[in-house]
Amino acid sequence: MADTIKIVIAGPRGRMGREAVKLVQNTPHFTLAGAVDHRNDGKTLGELEGFADSNIPVYSDLEKCFQDTLPDVLIDLTTPETGYLHTRTALLNQVRPVVGTTGFNDEQLKELKQLAEEREIGVIIAPNFAIGAVLMMKFSQMAAKYLDDVEIMEMHHDQKLDAPSGTALKTAQMIQQQRASKKQGHPKEQETIQGARGADMDGMKIHSIRLPGLIAHQQVMFGGEGQLLTIRHDSHDRTSFMSGVKICVETIMTLNTLVYGLENILD
Ligand code: NAP
């Protein structure tokens, strides 16, 4: 691993981006080389509202940012469309992407994996950087082996663009590895309002709640004869995600493929 890891952050004004800037600036072996912000080309980070005085250059053009600052890692915390384009551009420029942005589809993930392997460069896409959330997913996968009637309820702030959340999808995929496809509920059940039973994945139901006041929360409920198991995780603050970002940045220096999910790099 290089002594100091040079990092570019895309989306620095966002709620996650601001925490990531603090993380990078407060970590001795990380250096913030630049930031990518589509509204503030040519400024410095210190000129943007809410940032301490700093000469870190801000670019709207990711490639130009890479050419000028020569980073090791891109941390992307933007929007699904932009995040995908940024990840692709980073791989084409031999910069390792750590992607927290959610909402990529299977085709995009497949293409990025292929690109990472062709270029022999690591990329981590982590729908949830919170260690507690990763444990929630792992415990849910364990429970599904014994209790296969499952409903996932994810709850997020009302500015979130994608539904269901990346975490809910990832949880469902992990449960799928343990649980055979199964139709849940009454065989003749009917919705009198469309969507009342939530989204369906192999018979598992996923419910997405969006309300101001929420940050990121999920509970996975398992029903069995005479019993109910609920596994729940709450992120009360976006700082909950930053230890995971740090682990990803450190680990990506040793990878040469795409890793999807923080659980795949934790011991
Ligand atoms: P946010 O507050 O809306 O921030 C997104 C930022 O991206 C905004 O500042 C936005 O700027 C900026 N942006 C949009 N297009 C851009 C572009 N082309 N270039 C540079 N910046 C651009 O959202 P957030 O809550 O920080 O979340 C960001 C992403 O992380 C979302 O996908 C969210 O689902 C995900 N997330 C992941 C985790 C995790 O643990 N992996 C946790 C929480 C959130 P404007 O507003 O000016 O357009």
Side-chain angles (χ1 to χ4, degrees):
M1 195 197 297
D3 287 343
T4 296
I5 303 176
K6 280 178 80 179
I7 299 167
V8 160
I9 296 178
R13 277 180 302 108
R15 286 158 292 198
M16 286 290 282
R18 285 182 188 275
E19 291 303 327
V21 168
K22 282 188 222 158
L23 168 78
V24 172
Q25 291 186 321
N26 292 332
T27 304
H29 59 289
F30 290 176
T31 299
L32 186 58
V36 176
D37 180 339
H38 60 150
R39 299 195 200 280
N40 287 293
D41 192 37
K43 293 191 180 163
T44 63
L45 203 58
E47 288 177 273
L48 309 190
E49 201 187 323
F51 290 93
D53 190 25
S54 136
N55 286 330
I56 309 295
V58 178
Y59 298 81
S60 60
D61 182 335
L62 185 65
E63 264 187 304
K64 172 91 172 79
C65 174
F66 289 160
Q67 281 157 15
D68 287 1
T69 63
L70 303 175
D72 302 301
V73 172
L74 165 73
I75 300 177
D76 190 90
L77 297 161
T78 59
T79 60
E81 237 172 77
T82 302
Y84 162 70
L85 293 174
H86 280 177
T87 307
R88 216 175 163 277
T89 305
L91 289 172
L92 291 170
N93 286 273
Q94 296 300 111
V95 176
R96 297 155 192 274
V98 168
V99 184
T101 306
T102 55
F104 294 4
N105 62 39
D106 287 348
E107 208 171 299
Q108 290 171 328
L109 291 173
K110 207 169 137 197
E111 189 206 325
L112 293 171
K113 183 171 195 298
Q114 194 179 345
L115 196 55
E117 285 171 3
E118 272 167 27
R119 314 285 298 191
E120 298 187 351
I121 185 167
V123 42
I124 300 178
I125 300 179
N128 201 319
F129 286 122
I131 307 287
V134 170
L135 292 174
M136 169 194 62
M137 291 187 246
K138 287 198 172 200
F139 296 156
S140 298
Q141 189 180 35
M142 283 168 69
K145 186 171 173 190
Y146 304 100
L147 295 166
D148 59 1
D149 279 275
V150 191
E151 305 230 353
I152 299 173
M153 193 184 296
E154 57 96 341
M155 295 151 271
H156 282 83
H157 59 88
D158 62 346
Q159 299 305 303
K160 186 167 176 58
L161 293 176
D162 51 319
S165 69
T167 304
L169 260 183
K170 180 73 190 169
T171 309
Q173 286 160 357
M174 287 171 68
I175 290 174
Q176 259 183 326
Q177 291 166 14
Q178 283 291 349
R179 168 190 176 278
S181 179
K182 172 182 180 181
K183 178 152 178 20
Q184 296 179 183
H186 196 286
K188 291 189 177 160
E189 122 187 325
Q190 279 188 352
E191 290 179 331
T192 51
I193 299 177
Q194 197 188 356
R197 290 288 289 120
D200 188 292
M201 194 162 152
D202 266 355
M204 245 182 291
K205 300 295 180 186
I206 307 179
H207 310 269
S208 297
I209 292 165
R210 298 289 176 265
L211 284 172
L214 292 168
I215 306 272
H217 317 259
Q218 178 170 295
Q219 68 185 37
V220 188
M221 299 171 74
F222 297 88
E225 289 293 309
Q227 60 181 318
L228 183 71
L229 170 67
T230 302
I231 301 173
R232 179 173 171 121
H233 177 261
D234 297 274
S235 277
H236 295 298
D237 191 288
R238 286 177 179 81
T239 52
S240 63
F241 302 116
M242 292 303 131
S243 56
V245 176
K246 181 166 179 279
I247 292 171
C248 289
V249 170
E250 288 164 350
T251 308
I252 202 171
M253 299 306 289
T254 62
L255 298 177
N256 56 10
T257 184
L258 181 144
V259 172
Y260 181 64
L262 180 62
E263 66 283 2
N264 294 311
I265 57 168
L266 294 180
D267 293 337

